[in-house]
Amino acid sequence: MRKYFTDQLIPTVYALMALAFLYTPIIVLMVMGFNESRYNTLPFSFSLEWYSALAKNEVLINAAINSFVLALITALICVVLATMFVLGMKTLSRSMEGLFRSLIMMPMSIPWLILALSMLLFIRFLDLDKNMFFVVAGHVVISLPYAMLSLQARIQALDPALEEMSASLGASALSTFRRITVPALAPAIVAGGFLAFMISFDNFAISYFLIPAGTSTLPIEIQSSIKFGFTPEINAISTVIIGVSLLCLAIVGLIMGSSIENMIGGKKK
Amino acid sequence: GGQTAEEEGTDEPATLTVVNWKDYGSDNADFVAAFEAENNCKIVHVYMSSEEELLTKLKTAKDGDIDVCLPNCTILPSAINDGLLLELDTTKLTNFDSLYDRFKVQEESFKDGKMYSVPWVWGSTAIAYNTDEIAAPPSSVSILFDPEYAGKIAIRDDFNDAVMLAAIVLGQDPNNPSDLDAIKAKLIEQKPLNKTYWKTGDEFSKLFAGNQVAVGLMWSGQAAFMKQDGQPIGFVVPEDGAIGWVDTWGIAKGSQNPDLAYKFIDAVISEEFQYDWASTGGPAPVNKDAGEQIDPVYAASCGMDEESLNRLYFMQYRTDDVKKAWNELWTEVKAN
Amino acid sequence: MANIKLENLTKRFGENTVVDRVNIEIPNGTLVSILGPSGCGKTTLLRMIAGFETPDEGSIFFDQDSVVNVPANKRNIGMVFQSYALFPHMTVEENVAYGLQQRKLSKEEIDARVKQVIDTVHMKEFQKRKPKQLSGGQQQRVALARALAISPRLLLLDECLSALDKKLRVEMQTELRKILEESKVTTFFVTHDQEEAMTLSDFIVVMNKGIIEQMGTPLEVYEKPKNKFVASFLGKANFFQSEDGTSFAVRPEKIHLSAEEQAGARQEGVITFITYSGNITSYTIECDGEAVLCEKQNVQIRENLKKGQKVFLRWDKDSEIELADE
Amino acid sequence: MANIKLENLTKRFGENTVVDRVNIEIPNGTLVSILGPSGCGKTTLLRMIAGFETPDEGSIFFDQDSVVNVPANKRNIGMVFQSYALFPHMTVEENVAYGLQQRKLSKEEIDARVKQVIDTVHMKEFQKRKPKQLSGGQQQRVALARALAISPRLLLLDECLSALDKKLRVEMQTELRKILEESKVTTFFVTHDQEEAMTLSDFIVVMNKGIIEQMGTPLEVYEKPKNKFVASFLGKANFFQSEDGTSFAVRPEKIHLSAEEQAGARQEGVITFITYSGNITSYTIECDGEAVLCEKQNVQIRENLKKGQKVFLRWDKDSEIELADE
Amino acid sequence: MKKKKKLLTFPSIIVLTVFAILPLIIMLVYSFQSDSGSSGVTLENYTNFFLKSVYLKLTYRTIINSLAVTIISLIISYPLAYFMAKKFKGLKNIVMILILIPFFTNQLVRVYSWLIFLQDGGVLNSFLQSVGLIEGSLGILFTQGAVVIGLVHAFFPYMVITIYLALERVDNSLLEASSSLGASKVRTFFQVVLPLSMPGVVTGIMIVFVPCLGTFVEPRILGGVNGTVIGTVIEDQFFEIYGWNFGAAIAFVLFAMVIISMTGLSRIGRRYDNE
Ligand SMILES: Nc1ncnc2c1ncn2[C@@H]1O[C@H](COP(=O)(O)OP(=O)(O)OP(=O)(O)O)[C@@H](O)[C@H]1O
Ligand SMILES: Nc1ncnc2c1ncn2[C@@H]1O[C@H](COP(=O)(O)OP(=O)(O)OP(=O)(O)O)[C@@H](O)[C@H]1O
Ligand SMILES: [Mg+2]
Ligand SMILES: [Mg+2]
């Protein structure tokens, strides 16, 4: 009974409370997407008006797709870079390791606004055109620390004996990497990619300053509408995105079956 | 930018890059479609989020990045002084003659006698109030300093508006206030009366619609739009005046499509465009023909009438030092 | 399938020299056991041979070729770690197949070999399990199978049987011996179990504090230990002083006990302690204040010596092991 | 310091019953060894007693009190895990002191006790190190010290000596025995080493596939095994069939070998294999197609029996162990 | 072999150097130039910052706010991460995904939703009134409290992740060993679990505290008249008055503070990391 209390009841209630807090604004925004009032005022009166408006709003939809693609590319690059980094990190001397690590973590500690502006100045300094390359580079810079965090935690838990064993069985460094290291790091890679994706997907400052004219992302659209007030179409598209991402995760979960267990963090050995 | 394609009639349409506010007339889908069809071009919108940021965009742009832009009179001289805009030839604008005379000679548009931008719309930042709570239109901006409305007031989080507002109340020249300390004290005194300092139109409209704010400083255009949308909102430029502003169009120095840019500007100052927008919740027109067609009752209700126009203190260009001083003053008020 | 030579092999961790100028030459196809106290450097020695630690000094030769600069994955060594190091994300089968896959064999060849090796270690019914779902002993067998599968030229076994029960262990020893004889693979075998070492190996190396105390056949090392350390580390020993001041040792089983006074008895004493351990019974006998250990095989069930009884001790002259001075 | 009773103790993992209706009663202050093949449920049994696994059925009594609902930290049990489970962020000292600190003793008492226990396991020079800096055997000793320090009423040792070399192991066994005799703490001792089990324990429990095959004193279990499994698991055994169809076993050391024909010889055969293991030499003799194992203590160095030689086998009638039918 | 592995760290380092360090150096140059456009090196931006009490006051307010957010995030995150790592079984992955999903919505939209939720007459207020918990208005929006709520909401999930990853590494047999040595759950927690999860806690603190110092969206919108912090001052410099030089100087002061606090924290982290 007591065990049930401490092992099940309290944790569950606690998690539910934390999730309730987390979802408060999300639920508000979802509900308001179905509310007739453009000013999100109560009383609530159900309407699909904003969804039908959204369906016609190509600009917003295209922006959302752009954000998605950009975030995906950023996440992939970050994952590759971060994985390479944590693997090489072990061979660095302590002080080098510290230096490199703080270098990579640095973008977390500078307001992105400043980073974006400095990159803009830099592009101007180099006398280059604004282009998507720099947008991606900027996104990578700010997302990389997040990808790194989850990978670092994991690599420390990786038993070096496994890699040695693989070598002694004749596996080349590459083969060891592919068959031993990557699977062991997989949960962290997925988690890191996920974090990087989210950071990029929601980023306004970098995209805004670096993106070439004629291209837009969802955060840019939202930020630009806010001068005069955005309509609940924005709520509608947010709701759609949440729905789609839940669906994707569910599908991935079904396909990967039990290995979803390992998706985030996962279990050690 | 790209090649102008009109003469040869090739399939490749030219692109015109326009820096403007989102949902601010010039990006109206119908208008854009019609313009594109007529001129066989493609308009690309780049949105700005503040006036200063437009300057940033112009300064960091490369040739061809931007064709047309929408500077406000407060930053216009900066842009002109930094050589960011092209000198204009008004003879290329068929609708220029229809402008109210005062806008043909808008001081900030000129440097050394040369014109660099064309006024487009004007408006006021004045008193918006909830007609359910406040029956009669306020006659003075001092309503924003009235403790009776404590907690229901929202002025804008903007150093320029704040300083000018306090100057009007204190009887100083809003464009050249004589006693900044008094202004600061006045604003600090006013601070607790606010529900919030609003930053974006979105905030104000939602708080207003949610009955959180009964009276505040607001843009005429947005107030007109909200009124049309059924909000119980009244708008007035009170007797002691309010803040006026003028938005203008300029052509970026590096534009590769100046001819198309002229066409664009000409289109947005046309009688048709100006009337359509002003009568459906947009700001006031600079085109005289358009202005005269607007229902005078409607015009009065959104401060577009002649009387309101005459009460306004139009924002003037400010030097960097003034801006810095005002901004610091405002920061101190907010930090207080 | 290789002749292994270690020359002056030395490894330091910080100030500690954990392997100290080790010289050994191991003929092709022999099984060498390494015995020594915990922490004496056995694992470190193996890790240098495998290529996971770089020696600070000295060389390692496989058939005349120095391998110090050959990376671990090119040395063709089968290794079983003390900690098993099974790949946690692979099943038993996949673990065993791993090394073969690195060798670009056909799928059929791999399957056949995997099946064969898994049978050898009696793990057939567990082949689809992941390591987490196995007991310690089962894991150890998988680790052994994985190392054997690749038919290495050198096999390094770091206490690879220590988690097995005696019965399974003896079986595995027999299997191991058989496999090794067939494949003629040179093998280093680290163990704590001296009986295992003696049963299994062609040579025994006794290490202590990073150095080699003695190397030889089991018989040599057991019957002619060079010093007190080896004598007492390998099996039990009673130490005595001769009149001329040199010391010698006598193994407990070499001491004849009798209740009656007998010719040539060297000592007499009283039994103070009797320990039964199945096939053997040990007697501790107090002789002139010194405890002497004596072991008798239990050839019958009835015990004829009792605690407190007076007994006479006798041993052959050639059972005396002369020890180097220390 | 407690009388332990297990009643019908059962544990299932999914479909597998890994501990199956175990009933034991252990008197106060005795040392019980649990022997059994890998995976037979020894660790699981210990974990239930310690309170880390909840039994699916059955009860556990410490001195008449059922402890099934007592949380692990209130059971006052000292446990040494197969995996040691040392706290990686604490030094050896701190690890050992940990349990004492939970008991609100004074700092002096704790220090004194820690010092004493660390001395007992010979880890004094390593007391400031963190577990990562220790060898496997050293870690095991710390784990033992940590469990002993709290003077528990029940000590659960899961293969706590398996990583030690023979010499240290024998020392630790002696220490352990001494400690246990002084403190009279009831002890469960899981081991793979039957000799260790027999030397050390008051009782031996032989487990197989979750059930208890036999429990008794070492003498009983070794000399009177109930069935073939116990006979062959504990020590070696040769199995024969009598004329009346029942089967019996004979221990290898109970068989007398002689090159000359002797009275009462039961079998004759040829030596096919000789294995020397220090104090003992084993002979495999082929008699009518069956291999018979025979062990002789090496009381002298010279060997008098050779491979291929014809020998005669004899044993006493009372060396025959009758086995239950299976 | 080792040398080759070292090369793996280079791509990240190069990307960071080219796309963050070099641009920032340009920005740093700006911070030493005068706003008035005259060339030459000047410290005026920095002296301006340190000599005006208003900026110091805002800096102080920002630090206090960020600390509050960090502490509250820790209080929410640690138990949650602990329950996920040690108590939930299949459930924990679902919880983890649920924690991450809200990040797919835009930050601004989330902040505006808080505005709707918290405002007087809004959802929370109406609810509390109808339950009878409060009369009149709640008055929580446009206070520091609202800012803290918004920021905690924005950042605590990151902390949950870092702590969770650290706790996952704490072997359960250690908890059992502690328990067998007589330690209660609470003592086991403080003496074994907490120290071993400390590296994750330290990272979590960094990942919350540091970005908090530079935020401006939540304070501005949720803090109302009291929402001015150092982040909004920087934003104003760049967006309102074209004061890049001064803005850059403030940003670098902030950056220096971050470096100092990170050095301190990682020293603590390293102590526990040294297993
Ligand atoms: N990475 C290391 N850094 C510092 N010292 C080490 C390291 N690895 C091992 N040692 C030390 O080197 C010595 C030899 O260690 P090694 O593991 O080779 O011993 P071992 O003979 O295998 O012991 P065991 O039988 O207990 O496994 C020990 O004293 C150990 O503490
Ligand atoms: N958590 C678990 N889930 C499922 N099966 C388990 C689990 N733990 C142990 N088992 C299985 O239960 C059986 C008994 O395991 P246990 O660890 O008790 O064996 P053991 O006798 O201690 O073996 P060893 O001597 O190898 O340590 C084994 O077959 C094992 O695979
Ligand atoms: Mg070792
Ligand atoms: Mg076990």
Side-chain angles (χ1 to χ4, degrees), chain D residues 78-81 84-87 94-99 117 141-151, chain E residues 173-174 177-178 180-181:
Chain D
M79 172 133 189
V80 174
F81 287 82
Y84 319 148
L86 297 177
F87 302 127
E94 286 163 353
N95 263 286
V96 176
Y98 186 87
V117 183
R141 281 181 276 162
V142 178
L144 182 60
R146 187 175 65 175
L148 287 173
I150 59 171
S151 319
Chain E
S173 71
L174 294 179
S178 169
S180 82
L181 291 167

Side-chain angles (χ1 to χ4, degrees), chain B residues 132-305:
Chain B
D132 293 346
E133 292 188 40
I134 299 168
S139 60
S140 163
V141 287
S142 58
I143 188 172
L144 298 176
F145 294 77
D146 186 347
E148 193 191 330
Y149 299 104
K152 305 229 75 179
I153 299 172
I155 68 167
R156 186 174 165 218
D157 181 4
D158 181 275
F159 67 88
N160 188 67
D161 288 2
V163 171
M164 286 179 79
L165 173 68
I168 294 171
V169 169
L170 291 168
Q172 301 184 27
D173 176 358
N175 276 313
N176 288 295
S178 48
D179 185 354
L180 285 178
D181 287 343
I183 286 175
K184 183 163 130 189
K186 192 74 188 168
L187 287 171
I188 288 173
E189 182 193 320
Q190 191 267 352
K191 186 179 176 183
L193 305 181
N194 286 280
K195 183 86 192 174
T196 184
Y197 296 137
W198 61 270
K199 185 71 186 172
T200 64
D202 190 77
E203 255 175 284
F204 183 87
S205 58
K206 283 181 179 147
L207 287 170
F208 188 91
N211 280 324
Q212 298 300 297
V213 166
V215 59
L217 216 48
M218 191 59 224
W219 300 308
S220 52
Q222 178 141 3
F225 179 80
M226 286 172 69
K227 192 180 169 82
Q228 293 210 326
D229 202 52
Q231 290 294 316
I233 193 168
F235 185 83
V236 63
V237 177
E239 284 154 25
D240 48 1
I243 302 156
W245 44 264
V246 181
D247 284 340
T248 72
W249 285 106
I251 300 178
K253 186 69 162 238
S255 170
Q256 308 283 310
N257 290 318
D259 292 336
L260 197 54
Y262 275 111
K263 287 218 169 94
F264 180 84
I265 295 176
D266 206 27
V268 296
I269 60 172
S270 70
E271 180 188 339
E272 191 196 1
F273 180 96
Q274 294 247 308
Y275 172 78
D276 282 354
W277 192 26
S279 58
T280 54
V286 293
N287 189 308
K288 199 169 171 205
D289 301 337
E292 281 164 359
Q293 284 180 52
I294 293 172
D295 173 14
V297 178
Y298 175 74
S301 78
C302 23
M304 283 188 200
D305 55 328

Side-chain angles (χ1 to χ4, degrees), chain D residues 276-291:
Chain D
Y276 170 78
S277 56
N279 56 343
I280 294 226
T281 302
S282 317
Y283 301 88
T284 308
I285 297 135
E286 178 117 3
C287 309
D288 301 334
E290 303 256 352

Side-chain angles (χ1 to χ4, degrees), chain A residues 7 14 22-23 25 29 81 84 88 94 109-110 117 149 194 197-199 202 223 261 264 266-267, chain E residues 5 12 75-76 87 93 96 98 100 103-104 106-108 113 153 158 168 203 207 210 238 258 270:
Chain A
D7 283 8
Y14 192 91
L22 194 62
Y23 275 81
L29 85 85
L81 287 179
M84 286 170 72
R94 242 199 135 86
S109 59
I110 296 183
L117 281 165
L149 273 176
F194 204 67
F197 182 93
M198 290 187 312
I199 295 292
D202 195 20
Q223 192 93 22
E261 284 220 345
I264 316 294
K267 207 143 170 81
Chain E
K5 272 202 150 177
S12 302
I75 291 170
I76 296 178
K87 302 285 181 194
N93 300 299
M96 183 54 95
L98 285 178
L100 296 174
F103 285 89
F104 280 108
N106 183 266
Q107 178 200 23
L108 264 175
S113 300
H153 182 263
Y158 293 114
E168 266 285 302
T203 318
I207 214 173
V210 168
F238 283 101
V258 166
R270 201 167 302 152

Side-chain angles (χ1 to χ4, degrees), chain B residues 49-50 52-53 56 59 157 159 191 194-196 199-200 202 207 212 324 327-328 332 334-335, chain E residues 35 52 54-55 57-58 61 112 119-120 142 220 224-226 228 236-237 239-242 244:
Chain B
S49 62
S50 77
E52 294 298 329
E53 201 257 310
T56 308
K59 287 186 183 182
D157 181 4
F159 67 88
K191 186 179 176 183
N194 286 280
K195 183 86 192 174
T196 184
K199 185 71 186 172
T200 64
D202 190 77
L207 287 170
Q212 298 300 297
K324 250 166 74 178
N327 182 60
E328 203 154 273
E332 279 167 24
K334 287 192 289 180
Chain E
D35 270 336
K52 294 252 169 65
V54 58
Y55 298 120
K57 183 171 168 184
L58 289 177
R61 182 191 279 178
Y112 275 85
Q119 71 186 9
D120 296 340
F142 305 130
R220 174 98 78 191
V225 295
N226 296 311
T228 304
D236 284 346
Q237 293 294 324
F239 280 107
E240 301 291 332
I241 64 163
Y242 206 56
W244 284 32

Side-chain angles (χ1 to χ4, degrees), chain C residues 16 36-39 42 82 129 135-138 141 159 162-170 177 181 191-195 198-200 218-220 222-224 229 232-233 235-236 252-256 275-280 295-303 316 318-319, chain D residues 16 36-39 42 82 129 135-138 141 159 162-170 191-195 198-200 218-220 222-224 229 232-236 252-256 273 275-280 295-303 316 318-319:
Chain C
N16 275 17
S38 163
K42 304 181 295 294
Q82 218 166 350
R129 291 219 199 160
S135 76
Q138 290 163 345
R141 281 181 277 160
E159 302 187 35
S162 71
L164 303 184
D165 57 84
K166 190 78 184 194
K167 184 162 153 33
L168 191 57
R169 197 163 175 161
V170 171
R177 193 71 240 192
E181 259 159 30
T191 177
H192 280 135
D193 183 343
Q194 42 158 316
E195 192 185 323
M198 285 195 278
T199 318
L200 217 51
L219 195 77
E220 276 166 19
Y222 187 81
E223 305 288 0
K224 301 279 172 225
F229 174 82
S232 68
F233 190 79
K236 296 165 193 156
E253 73 274 11
K254 302 279 193 292
I255 298 178
H256 299 260
T275 313
Y276 169 78
S277 57
N279 56 341
I280 295 230
E295 286 183 355
K296 289 284 124 232
Q297 197 177 25
N298 299 326
V299 290
Q300 292 127 321
I301 295 180
R302 64 193 116 82
E303 287 179 34
D316 294 350
D318 56 6
S319 297
Chain D
N16 275 18
S38 162
K42 306 182 294 293
Q82 214 167 351
R129 292 220 198 156
S135 76
Q138 289 163 344
R141 281 181 276 162
E159 302 185 36
S162 70
L164 303 183
D165 59 82
K166 190 78 182 194
K167 186 161 153 32
L168 192 58
R169 197 164 173 159
V170 171
T191 177
H192 280 135
D193 182 344
Q194 43 159 314
E195 191 185 323
M198 284 195 281
T199 320
L200 215 54
L219 196 76
E220 274 166 17
Y222 187 80
E223 306 287 0
K224 301 276 169 226
F229 175 82
S232 66
F233 190 80
L234 225 82
K236 296 164 193 158
E253 74 274 11
K254 302 277 192 298
I255 298 178
H256 300 262
F273 223 75
T275 313
Y276 170 78
S277 56
N279 56 343
I280 294 226
E295 287 183 356
K296 288 286 122 231
Q297 199 176 25
N298 298 325
V299 291
Q300 293 127 321
I301 295 180
R302 65 192 114 83
E303 284 178 36
D316 295 351
D318 56 6
S319 296

